[in-house]
Amino acid sequence: MKQTETNHLEKVRAIYDVLHGKKEADLLLKNLNILDVHGETVYQGSLLIYDKRIVALNPDESLIRVKEVFDGKGLYAIPGLIDAHLHFESQLAHPTALAEAMVPCGTTTIFAECLDLLSAAGEDGVRAAQNLFRDYDKLPYRLYAFAPGKKTAAWVTKEVLEMEPVIGLGEFEHFTYSKGDEDDFQKAAWVREKGGFMNGHWGLTALSDMTLNYLPAIGVSNNHDVWNGDDIEKSIRYGFPTQIKFGVGSSEVIKTLLRSIVDRKFPTENFMLCTDNISIERLLKMGHMDWIISLCAEMGIHPIKAIKMATYNTAKSYHMDHLIGSLTPGRFADIVLTDSLSKITPLYVFKDGELIAKDKKMVKNTEIDYSAMVTKGISGLDDLAPEQLDIEPLEISEDGTKAKVYLFDVYGRGHAKFYQEVWVPVKDGKIVPEYDGETYSRLSVIRRYADGKRHVVNGLFKGVFVERGAVATSWPAPIPYFVVVGQESDEMAYCVKEADKYSGACIVTENHTNKSVMPIEIYGMMTNMSVDELTSSASAIDAALEELGNQNEGEPVVNKLLSLFISLHRFRFME
């Protein structure tokens, strides 16, 4: 206690001395157009930085002494951008590779889930968390993390709640909290005792209005589970600071949400912006929070209010507006310089007053070795027979010419469209993969480790199309599963068995030959690759599939396939 008091005494004296020219400040950023998120105005001025924080607005330059001066040349200065909810293991990159793609977009803070990685680690979940968070304070972005609210044993959650930089409990599983699961009760009780935050996953598409009262009633801090204007209205009416998610949604879903905010005049103070899940490729090609803010402005939200949704609103929601979210004295010097407020172009990115990115390239990153988290595969499909991947009709028409089967779609177009039961032709006793004038590939969802009879779900898929060959990928949490897409059961079985040799992988095959392999070997959830290696590997998967007839748009195929597991789990296609 005495040491803490002494340190604080030194700090307040030092700040006084800096402001009176008796001690050097670290940096003066001058000739700026500074965004005031509180007054929603822009003013010309300068920012004085000392000990990682802003200590003065428009300091008297005749009084101060400073080590370094940066001329902003009239650029706009906005707070460092914040992603309010990101599953930062689900985009395949480990934390330093993520930085390489994300920070040049102006993102200096993330509020991050890690539940899938820790679930994949199973009994090793605590050690996995320790390795994941190791040296987190050296990362070129500010990391606030959440212990798993679902998919892990309660004892893992309890131990992770005690770690830095964990600030609360991650999203609940609505299929368990709605049934009064005892582990959920215990997890919520632990975080309430600590005074931490609880992330919401509200289950709007699956639960009754009466059940939806539970999460806000126990003190859940936010909700990111909205898909349309009515969902938004309900979420904010129940008192949730509501996160509008961009990474996993398609452009139709995103624009529906933004159009609802504009048309129905919802006060933007209710909203934060987040990605939930986002691929490295999208970060590199389109951007991160910078792109999201620009889209908000394009859709009719005032640019300053859009910026607040990715800065101050989030900081305030997490009770951290005294640390981040505005360019005011006492806050960390997380600053983005851009030439426009309506179309954010992060020309310079500062964290803690240090330049870390310039012109969409990292100036400084950290090196952290994650090889200790790489795991070996344990095969589980040795007994899988090709005929187990044949589509068994849900129903046959009376005349035997049609069969009812599942038709799956990619997650991003919204849960309502994720799967349908459709009638397709039957010819010579075999299902013809055609519906509404289009030909589709087949999809099989396969439990990796059988417990008695192996769980397999077969149907059609409209997200990836191959004329021949197959593509398979894995998902380890909370129960290990594979998906494989192809036209013939024999090739599909070969492909998925090749993926089964790894702890995690995406593999393309043709004629029982591997055409492209992307190992996902950090607990089957993340790659141990740099950004260049990761994007090259994902592009090789897409190129191999293009040779097999697939015309891909948007996210890489590996990310499209991985996103399937979100809805497969939600709609109980994974046991």
Side-chain angles (χ1 to χ4, degrees):
M1 189 68 179
K2 184 177 179 180
Q3 183 63 39
T4 301
E5 290 174 356
T6 301
N7 287 341
H8 280 295
L9 182 59
E10 290 175 358
K11 285 181 180 296
V12 296
R13 279 179 174 165
I15 292 171
Y16 182 88
D17 288 345
V18 166
L19 295 179
H20 288 81
K22 298 177 181 179
K23 187 178 181 68
E24 276 190 322
D26 297 317
L27 175 67
L28 176 67
L29 292 167
K30 60 188 298 182
N31 296 331
L32 302 172
N33 283 297
I34 303 169
L35 174 61
D36 170 12
V37 297
H38 301 285
E40 298 188 353
T41 60
V42 174
Y43 65 95
Q44 294 181 339
S46 56
L47 300 170
L48 187 66
I49 315 300
Y50 172 72
D51 192 23
K52 301 183 179 181
R53 301 195 187 220
I54 298 168
V55 293
L57 308 180
N58 290 335
D60 185 341
E61 294 185 33
S62 68
L63 290 179
I64 63 170
R65 295 189 294 136
V66 64
K67 296 176 182 176
E68 183 181 354
V69 176
F70 184 97
D71 187 350
K73 298 180 179 179
L75 293 172
Y76 291 98
I78 65 175
L81 305 181
I82 304 171
D83 191 331
H85 181 85
L86 172 66
H87 292 254
F88 81 132
E89 83 277 55
S90 298
Q91 32 58 48
L92 299 176
H94 57 56
T96 55
L98 175 62
E100 192 177 343
M102 179 181 71
V103 172
C105 301
T107 303
T108 55
T109 300
I110 62 173
F111 289 85
E113 295 271 2
C114 56
L115 61 93
D116 287 312
L117 181 107
L118 303 194
S119 175
E123 295 293 312
D124 202 28
V126 171
R127 191 172 73 90
Q130 292 168 340
N131 283 324
L132 184 67
F133 299 145
R134 180 168 50 86
D135 295 328
Y136 78 92
D137 55 331
K138 296 179 182 178
L139 293 168
Y141 53 88
R142 213 170 295 285
L143 171 63
Y144 298 106
F146 297 88
K150 62 183 180 184
K151 298 186 180 181
T152 64
W155 67 268
V156 173
T157 295
K158 186 175 184 180
E159 293 203 36
V160 175
L161 277 170
E162 301 300 322
M163 297 181 185
E164 292 185 355
V166 174
I167 62 169
L169 183 66
E171 60 188 44
F172 284 99
E173 168 62 77
H174 52 264
F175 288 112
T176 59
Y177 78 69
S178 61
K179 295 177 181 177
D181 181 80
E182 191 62 35
D183 275 3
D184 287 354
F185 291 156
Q186 187 63 75
K187 291 175 182 178
W190 286 328
V191 78
R192 282 165 61 104
E193 289 166 8
K194 290 180 64 67
F197 298 94
M198 285 189 274
N199 280 347
H201 196 275
W202 211 24
L204 271 169
T205 57
L207 304 180
S208 69
D209 281 359
M210 191 61 186
T211 303
L212 291 175
N213 286 286
Y214 175 66
L215 290 192
I218 66 170
V220 166
S221 310
N222 54 68
N223 174 42
H224 67 277
D225 191 21
V226 291
W227 292 89
N228 54 53
D230 290 340
D231 291 351
I232 291 174
E233 182 178 45
K234 184 177 289 188
S235 182
I236 62 177
R237 179 171 294 165
Y238 278 64
F240 281 123
T242 300
Q243 299 165 346
I244 305 299
K245 59 185 176 184
F246 285 72
V248 295
S250 69
S251 59
E252 309 101 84
V253 174
I254 294 164
K255 290 180 179 179
T256 294
L257 294 174
L258 296 181
R259 195 173 294 114
S260 296
I261 292 173
V262 173
D263 293 348
R264 296 169 68 164
K265 296 181 172 59
F266 293 126
T268 56
E269 288 75 13
N270 291 296
F271 303 112
M272 300 170 272
L273 300 178
C274 73
T275 52
D276 203 5
N277 296 287
I278 189 167
S279 70
I280 292 299
E281 286 74 13
R282 182 179 282 194
L283 286 172
L284 294 173
K285 292 177 182 177
M286 299 177 68
H288 190 210
M289 310 311 293
D290 54 335
W291 162 68
I292 296 172
I293 292 168
S294 302
L295 181 58
C296 287
E298 181 184 322
M299 293 295 295
I301 295 175
H302 191 284
I304 292 179
K305 291 187 180 294
I307 292 169
K308 287 179 67 174
M309 289 162 67
T311 55
Y312 180 70
N313 290 8
T314 304
K316 188 175 181 180
S317 176
Y318 284 112
H319 305 172
M320 293 184 185
D321 47 311
H322 64 299
L323 299 175
I324 55 177
S326 66
L327 301 182
T328 47
R331 279 68 178 176
F332 285 112
D334 300 346
I335 304 162
V336 175
L337 303 187
T338 173
D339 57 6
S340 169
L341 295 183
S342 58
K343 185 172 177 57
I344 305 298
T345 305
L347 300 174
Y348 300 91
V349 182
F350 295 82
K351 176 183 175 284
D352 292 334
E354 182 176 8
L355 183 66
I356 53 174
K358 177 183 176 181
D359 297 329
K360 301 290 282 188
K361 297 289 185 183
M362 289 293 293
V363 172
K364 180 181 180 181
N365 200 351
T366 190
E367 292 186 8
I368 301 173
D369 183 4
Y370 294 100
S371 59
M373 301 178 72
V374 170
T375 53
K376 294 182 179 180
I378 301 174
S379 297
L381 299 184
D382 292 343
D383 63 344
L384 182 71
E387 55 267 24
Q388 290 176 268
L389 308 187
D390 294 343
I391 298 178
E392 293 290 334
L394 303 172
E395 187 179 341
I396 297 286
S397 63
E398 289 187 8
D399 62 5
T401 62
K402 293 184 178 181
K404 182 186 286 186
V405 301
Y406 289 123
L407 173 61
F408 296 96
D409 197 358
V410 292
Y411 168 77
R413 281 191 270 266
H415 284 305
K417 299 180 180 179
F418 170 65
Y419 82 98
Q420 306 170 61
E421 295 180 4
V422 301
W423 290 96
V424 298
V426 174
K427 185 175 181 180
D428 298 328
K430 291 187 176 182
I431 288 171
V432 180
E434 295 177 357
Y435 173 69
D436 204 19
E438 291 189 46
T439 301
Y440 295 103
S441 294
R442 289 165 42 194
L443 172 75
S444 291
V445 182
I446 309 162
R447 182 162 177 164
R448 185 168 192 174
Y449 304 111
D451 183 12
K453 183 179 179 182
R454 187 182 304 278
H455 182 235
V456 179
V457 178
N458 301 312
L460 305 182
F461 185 46
K462 65 186 300 183
V464 175
F465 177 76
V466 292
E467 295 169 350
R468 60 192 187 279
V471 56
T473 196
S474 53
W475 183 260
I479 300 171
Y481 267 80
F482 289 98
V483 293
V484 58
V485 178
Q487 294 288 356
E488 300 292 337
S489 297
D490 186 61
E491 185 69 35
M492 292 167 69
Y494 171 82
C495 184
V496 75
K497 285 185 176 183
E498 287 298 295
D500 189 39
K501 295 177 180 178
Y502 296 81
S503 59
C506 183
I507 294 185
V508 180
T509 66
E510 182 184 15
N511 296 327
H512 289 211
T513 301
N514 294 356
K515 294 178 65 69
S516 184
V517 178
M518 179 182 192
I520 309 173
E521 294 185 299
I522 296 181
Y523 292 105
M525 279 297 312
M526 294 190 299
T527 63
N528 193 30
M529 300 181 185
S530 68
V531 165
D532 286 345
E533 291 168 338
L534 176 55
T535 55
S536 176
S537 187
S539 296
I541 294 289
D542 284 355
L545 286 169
E546 187 171 352
E547 293 180 9
L548 302 181
N550 185 59
Q551 300 297 318
N552 191 44
E553 295 181 1
E555 297 282 3
V557 167
V558 60
N559 294 92
K560 287 183 176 180
L561 293 178
L562 288 170
S563 74
L564 271 174
F565 292 100
I566 300 171
S567 286
L568 289 169
H569 176 66
R570 187 174 191 133
F571 287 100
R572 319 315 280 167
F573 284 102
M574 297 163 62
E575 290 183 340

